[in-house]
Amino acid sequence: MNATRYIRRYWQLYALLVLPVLYFAIFKYGPMYGVIIAFKDFNFFQGINGSKWIGFDAFREVFAMRDFYKTLRNTLMLNLLDLIVSFPAPLFIAIMLYELRTAWFRKLSQTILYIPHFISWIIIGGIAYQVFGTQSGMLNNIITSFGFDAVPFLTNKSYWLITYLAIGVWQSAGWGTIIYLAALTGLNRELFEAAEVDGAGRMRRIWSITLPSLKPTIVTLLIINIGHMISIGFDRPYIIGNTTVREYSDVLSTFVYRVGLESGQYTLATVVGLFQAVVGLVFVLGSNYVSKKLADQSIL
Amino acid sequence: MVKKLNKHSMHKKTAGLLALTLAGTALLSACGNNNNNGGDTASATSSASAAPSGKAITLKVEVFDRGNAPDGMSITNNYLTKFVQDNFGTPNNIKVEFVPVPRSEEVNKLNVLMASGSDVPDIVFTYDSSTFFRYAQQGGLTDLSELLDQYGPNLKEFIGEDTLAYGVVEGTQYGVPARRTHLGKYSSFIRTDWLDKLGLGSPTTTDELYNVLKAFKEKDPGNTGGKVIPLGMTIAPAQYEPLIWSFIQPATEEELYTLTSGTRDLPILLPGFKDALQFMNKAYNEGLMSLDFGLDKDKTKLGQDVANGLVGFYSEDDMNPFYKDGSVDTLRANNPTAVLSAVDVYTNSEGKHAKPEYTPIGMYLMIPKASKNAEAAIKYLDWMASGDNLFQMQNGVEGENYTLEDGVPVTIADQSDEFRNRLYNQGDMAIISNGKSLGSADLNVEAYVKGMPEANQDETRKAMTISRSDTIKPIRFDRPIESQAKYGTTLQDKFEEMLVKTTMAKPDQFDSTYEAMLKDYMASGGQAVLEERQQAYAAMTK
């Protein structure tokens, strides 16, 4: 087909594409200009162009910092644990919700599970202190009333990890189910009826029908998650973390905040950001490649 | 990318795409809650009506926003902004506009404002000396020497030469430090009703204090049911600094200058520092401190515990417990027989109640280089320092907000909310003075005392006397310590970590924890600060 006919036929689709493309151009590609700060001794009174070039000096400085390696290790550790604990949680919940037959009860459960996602981390942090505090936390009040010793949920680094993960699951698992439930709505119920006639039990049906139909979604989300392995949100570790467990709770984002923003060293902050972006890209491409080879599923 | 599209894989792709879109939305909405809590930055005062001839200039002045504006007022439009406009702005054909900056993100927001160049206010300020030095050294500030001579005679006189010197960087006057009127910092407080109940005298040394704390723990005179916290502690300076400094051994001037570290001059390398941590460790392991003291960075929990009558002894900013509806008022409401008294207990090897005092400065007031209204900015500060303008901004209207007694303005206790609300942010608007300014230290203290609820006035006076006695003067180098600007926040975090880790360590692991944390501190910038301080001291005394 020739060009005019092609455009006439598909222009609506391109029109639809304009907004997302603009979004990426303005908010994702535009700011990349600022990456050159990483190679300059940035002085914000002189602006990006006026500042001196320093080559890789800032990279050397960052890679020589002890805290950089500690925060890098913590970022990877917290993300890996999150991947193991928090990644499967929405899947389980979605399957359970899908199996529920009473519509009103399913909707109610879904709503209740979503709610934590809409609570600000600041508030969650406040709740966490009230619930998990050693001296007067709700949970420890119960534990000590049975005559056991108080558990330092927030002030011992190992217990803190568990608290951190549990809060993460509570906050995000419900919201994460949306994607799986959306994928499941396209599933033909007749498949289940047929399987039931053939004598398949509930577990069998989940294993042979529900899970395989979710496979593309799971793989997509897994690749996205692995791509984010090196980056970590600021709010959760910063707010749930505290001085006593900084050995584990100090991550790259809090490191950038402290060194870059609080001390006004934007060059160092940009170096860390660039480093995270590059490693993240490698992770995405790598996991995509592996998944293509092993499961014939990929997003690129 | 798309090779062959049979129906099956088409289905797969759509499912994948759908998932992606949804994931994208989730991510977007997660990032989207970055709400700007700066509030309304829009027009402040629109009352530039009867202006003299010529085009009015707009003077933009930073103001801290604590989000506590009373009903019917906003941070950019209230009694004091109108007072400034009517008494300074309109007569000088200047429109004064206030630019709010959230108090808790002061430095970050200021960095953004400064980086924006043209949009920056004409008067900005910060408490953070590192930030001031950095702006000065990077060439972002206006040289004020001539402007001050020409337009700021009253201001110069009010601030005084000694204080102005703090605003000099490498020989140039880049900032005007606000004058601090009360230099006392800390006092300690004890539940005297508990002492009476146990038949104990008020402790006068750290050793006696330890025995009293033990007695509070074992005999629980407050009937807290085992929840007693004999020693109130947090990781805020007001709680740990008086304790730590009382363990520091007498030191020479050189040691004081070089072996302290960070922007707070923490005595990390001075002899005695380890003993202070050892005391904390012992107190913690014997259950004399709250198990969660390491979580309490902003003293919220401590304040609650004091008000609930759980805390036996603690140190704090001298007048902090005595404000209307503060810890002491709440404590008394909860338990009418409770008495919390100011005491000076922590004692060093010389028998002195050593504790740090403030530098004689408040905020650094600065005029960014990008400002075109430097002249008007200095005029504004000079206006504030002249006549009784500062007094009116701090105290309001006579007969409505205060009455004069022996030259001291006494807050009228039962004034209407309308009058009280006038002054809700006077501390943030009267930027040239940190604290009430009446001419002498004793009068200033008296002004604070008279501002407290009547029942708390005697104890406030006592606490503010304690906080001014046996103080250790702050260190002042004649040049900025650059490594401190660079590592300052990291080192403060490391210090707090050292404090909680050594305190919470099992007694037999104290030494190894201390060694490890000190090593970490030195390697994370502490060593660089030490070396630079040694050089700076040598250069200064040469």
Side-chain angles (χ1 to χ4, degrees):
Chain A
M1 96 182 84
N2 65 36
T4 29
R5 267 187 60 202
Y6 178 83
I7 290 169
R8 274 183 132 177
R9 187 160 167 198
Y10 291 117
W11 69 271
Q12 287 106 327
L13 293 178
Y14 282 98
L16 278 176
L17 200 64
V18 167
L19 268 185
V21 166
L22 271 182
Y23 167 79
F24 279 100
I26 295 172
F27 294 106
K28 299 288 169 190
Y29 285 87
M32 282 188 196
Y33 169 66
V35 164
I36 54 176
I37 289 177
F39 305 96
K40 288 194 160 208
D41 182 15
F42 180 59
N43 172 338
F44 53 56
F45 300 108
Q46 285 154 13
I48 294 178
N49 279 325
S51 302
K52 239 183 23 248
W53 289 100
I54 53 165
F56 283 90
D57 283 4
F59 285 83
R60 276 184 212 108
E61 191 176 342
V62 167
F63 293 141
M65 286 171 127
R66 289 159 66 98
D67 275 12
F68 173 72
Y69 295 100
K70 194 181 81 181
T71 51
L72 178 62
R73 180 203 73 189
N74 288 345
T75 306
L76 292 172
M77 176 183 72
L78 291 181
N79 278 338
L80 188 70
L81 288 173
D82 242 356
L83 195 67
I84 296 168
V85 177
S86 306
F87 182 74
L91 182 61
F92 285 126
I93 297 173
I95 292 172
M96 283 195 275
L97 285 173
Y98 189 71
E99 290 296 316
L100 284 176
R101 285 286 162 265
T102 329
W104 68 267
F105 184 67
R106 186 174 66 227
K107 286 200 172 121
L108 184 73
S109 323
Q110 226 170 315
T111 312
I112 290 173
L113 285 166
Y114 287 170
I115 286 174
H117 174 79
F118 297 100
I119 304 176
S120 132
W121 275 110
I122 292 283
I123 295 168
I124 296 179
I127 297 174
Y129 278 29
Q130 298 296 323
V131 174
F132 297 109
T134 321
Q135 189 101 343
S136 49
M138 208 173 74
L139 209 53
N140 270 313
N141 280 347
I142 298 171
I143 293 174
T144 45
S145 73
F146 284 107
F148 297 102
D149 280 343
V151 183
F153 288 110
L154 294 171
T155 50
N156 173 293
K157 56 188 184 184
S158 311
Y159 284 108
W160 179 82
L161 273 184
I162 298 170
T163 314
Y164 173 87
L165 292 171
I167 292 174
V169 170
W170 175 77
Q171 196 264 354
S172 63
W175 180 252
T177 58
I178 288 189
I179 294 159
Y180 292 114
L181 288 172
L184 283 173
T185 46
L187 203 53
N188 193 343
R189 286 268 177 194
E190 283 170 19
L191 281 174
F192 289 93
E193 281 154 27
E196 221 173 319
V197 172
D198 288 347
R202 170 157 287 168
M203 284 304 151
R204 185 77 224 174
R205 290 198 304 266
I206 291 174
W207 185 253
S208 305
I209 304 173
T210 317
L211 273 178
S213 63
L214 283 176
K215 203 166 128 198
T217 318
I218 297 173
V219 170
T220 308
L221 288 177
L222 193 63
I223 293 173
I224 292 177
N225 265 295
I226 290 173
H228 287 165
M229 206 65 190
I230 185 92
S231 59
I232 189 163
F234 172 75
D235 309 28
R236 187 170 153 210
Y238 185 72
I239 290 164
I240 308 292
N242 62 68
T243 308
T244 51
V245 294
R246 188 161 290 144
E247 212 176 318
Y248 281 175
S249 70
D250 207 7
V251 292
L252 282 174
S253 54
T254 52
F255 175 72
V256 165
Y257 178 74
R258 191 176 59 231
V259 172
L261 296 185
E262 286 196 319
S263 312
Q265 304 180 76
Y266 296 97
T267 301
L268 299 187
T270 314
V271 166
V272 179
L274 187 59
F275 170 80
Q276 282 177 294
V278 171
V279 178
L281 185 67
V282 171
F283 277 19
V284 168
L285 294 179
S287 54
N288 190 61
Y289 177 81
V290 170
S291 138
K292 207 179 205 162
K293 288 273 159 222
L294 292 182
D296 197 26
Q297 294 278 348
S298 67
I299 55 173
L300 289 172
Chain B
M1 191 165 112
V2 183
K3 281 164 204 149
K4 53 175 182 185
L5 285 178
N6 60 33
K7 213 167 184 175
H8 178 65
S9 82
M10 182 78 167
H11 192 77
K12 246 191 211 169
K13 290 269 176 203
T14 347
L17 255 181
L18 180 64
L20 247 181
T21 323
L22 277 164
T25 334
L27 276 174
L28 271 181
S29 59
C31 305
N33 55 15
N34 218 340
N35 50 4
N36 112 47
N37 43 5
D40 45 337
T41 39
S43 65
T45 39
S46 51
S47 58
S49 47
S53 61
K55 197 166 157 265
I57 55 172
T58 305
L59 180 71
K60 289 199 253 178
V61 182
E62 178 185 345
V63 65
F64 279 150
D65 187 356
R66 296 172 200 262
N68 60 348
D71 275 350
M73 292 188 183
S74 74
I75 188 72
T76 53
N77 186 7
N78 53 54
Y79 173 81
L80 285 171
T81 60
K82 287 194 189 96
F83 180 83
V84 167
Q85 184 60 42
D86 292 346
N87 293 283
F88 167 74
T90 312
N92 291 302
N93 196 20
I94 291 170
K95 184 169 169 268
V96 187
E97 193 179 302
F98 288 89
V99 181
V101 165
R103 175 66 185 96
S104 54
E105 298 168 62
E106 180 220 328
V107 174
N108 294 337
K109 191 76 198 288
L110 187 57
N111 280 340
V112 174
L113 278 176
M114 293 297 266
S116 76
S118 55
D119 211 30
V120 64
D122 301 298
I123 299 177
V124 296
F125 45 75
T126 179
Y127 279 108
D128 185 38
S129 58
S130 311
T131 303
F132 165 64
F133 288 140
R134 193 168 58 243
Y135 290 166
Q137 288 180 318
Q138 294 192 344
L141 300 177
T142 306
D143 177 358
L144 302 177
S145 323
E146 280 176 30
L147 286 166
L148 279 173
D149 286 341
Q150 216 175 332
Y151 303 107
N154 297 305
L155 181 64
K156 275 179 90 165
E157 197 193 319
F158 173 80
I159 304 283
E161 219 166 281
D162 292 348
T163 306
L164 263 183
Y166 283 86
V168 175
V169 180
E170 287 161 5
T172 309
Q173 187 85 44
Y174 278 121
V176 176
R179 206 177 82 181
R180 188 178 282 277
T181 60
H182 170 62
L183 300 185
K185 258 186 170 173
Y186 308 129
S187 174
S188 297
F189 304 92
I190 198 163
R191 284 288 295 273
T192 31
D193 56 321
W194 289 11
L195 289 174
D196 293 346
K197 199 168 169 189
L198 299 178
L200 295 167
S202 192
T204 53
T205 65
T206 311
D207 290 338
E208 285 177 32
L209 173 67
Y210 173 75
N211 293 330
V212 166
L213 295 177
K214 284 293 250 189
F216 282 173
K217 173 81 183 174
E218 279 152 20
K219 309 212 171 98
D220 194 10
N223 298 321
T224 60
K227 288 190 167 176
V228 62
I229 302 168
L231 175 60
M233 185 53 66
T234 69
I235 45 172
Q239 279 68 53
Y240 62 72
E241 277 192 356
L243 186 154
I244 290 174
W245 275 99
S246 76
F247 281 90
I248 300 300
Q249 298 297 328
T252 63
E253 186 196 72
E254 182 175 358
E255 285 173 329
L256 278 174
Y257 269 75
T258 55
L259 300 183
T260 51
S261 187
T263 34
R264 298 198 73 93
D265 299 323
L266 299 161
I268 289 193
L269 299 170
L270 282 173
F273 177 65
K274 192 180 171 188
D275 301 327
L277 296 181
Q278 187 99 57
F279 180 84
M280 300 258 293
N281 180 274
K282 187 162 108 179
Y284 179 85
N285 279 293
E286 291 175 7
L288 303 181
M289 264 189 223
S290 165
L291 294 174
D292 287 333
F293 84 99
L295 303 179
D296 196 5
K297 207 165 179 163
D298 58 5
K299 309 192 269 196
T300 316
K301 191 76 174 68
L302 176 71
Q304 287 168 6
D305 290 341
V306 170
N308 289 332
L310 301 178
V311 176
F313 170 91
Y314 71 118
S315 59
E316 174 60 305
D317 295 328
D318 51 9
M319 50 187 156
N320 207 349
F322 300 115
Y323 289 108
K324 188 169 157 52
D325 300 326
S327 325
V328 165
D329 278 2
T330 320
L331 173 65
R332 209 181 287 124
N334 290 339
N335 175 4
T337 58
V339 184
L340 189 74
S341 305
V343 281
D344 215 0
V345 176
Y346 293 123
T347 312
N348 68 8
S349 60
E350 291 175 304
K352 282 190 172 162
H353 303 299
K355 52 181 112 43
E357 71 167 33
Y358 279 109
T359 47
I361 63 167
M363 301 185 292
Y364 294 89
L365 309 174
M366 304 166 279
I367 302 179
K369 199 152 216 169
S371 163
K372 292 183 182 61
N373 300 317
E375 183 190 317
I378 293 293
K379 278 184 181 162
Y380 171 57
L381 299 176
D382 192 66
W383 164 83
M384 202 185 287
S386 52
D388 63 348
N389 292 327
L390 179 65
F391 186 87
Q392 285 197 57
M393 285 180 81
Q394 290 190 325
N395 299 295
V397 181
E398 183 165 13
E400 292 177 356
N401 294 105
Y402 69 93
T403 52
L404 272 183
E405 274 175 32
D406 312 323
V408 175
V410 179
T411 309
I412 295 172
D414 51 353
Q415 54 182 296
S416 69
D417 279 348
E418 187 202 334
F419 293 159
R420 196 189 302 280
N421 289 344
R422 282 175 180 164
L423 302 176
Y424 89 96
N425 67 340
Q426 55 91 2
D428 294 328
M429 289 290 290
I431 49 179
I432 57 168
S433 172
N434 191 300
K436 297 217 168 165
S437 174
L438 297 169
S440 85
D442 286 330
L443 273 183
N444 293 339
V445 164
E446 214 38 44
Y448 281 115
V449 169
K450 295 284 202 260
M452 292 294 176
E454 190 129 26
N456 300 340
Q457 290 189 354
D458 286 341
E459 287 298 336
T460 311
R461 194 177 292 114
K462 223 161 91 190
M464 294 184 80
T465 311
I466 287 172
S467 69
R468 287 183 289 159
S469 55
D470 288 357
T471 52
I472 298 155
K473 294 253 179 287
I475 284 156
R476 187 172 114 68
F477 283 100
D478 60 351
R479 69 204 69 201
I481 306 294
E482 277 175 42
S483 53
Q484 250 169 227
K486 191 165 180 181
Y487 301 114
T489 38
T490 305
L491 289 179
Q492 182 64 28
D493 281 0
K494 292 280 172 202
F495 171 76
E496 283 163 14
E497 209 178 332
M498 174 172 357
L499 199 67
V500 293
K501 283 279 180 59
T502 51
T503 302
M504 293 171 74
K506 297 266 173 300
D508 58 327
Q509 285 160 12
F510 172 79
D511 280 316
S512 57
T513 311
Y514 169 77
E515 297 298 334
M517 296 309 297
L518 187 63
K519 211 174 128 200
D520 191 29
Y521 183 93
M522 294 313 280
S524 306
Q527 187 63 34
V529 171
L530 172 67
E531 281 161 21
E532 200 182 338
R533 276 180 174 242
Q534 281 166 341
Q535 281 162 12
Y537 183 77
M540 196 169 76
T541 49
K542 200 161 53 186

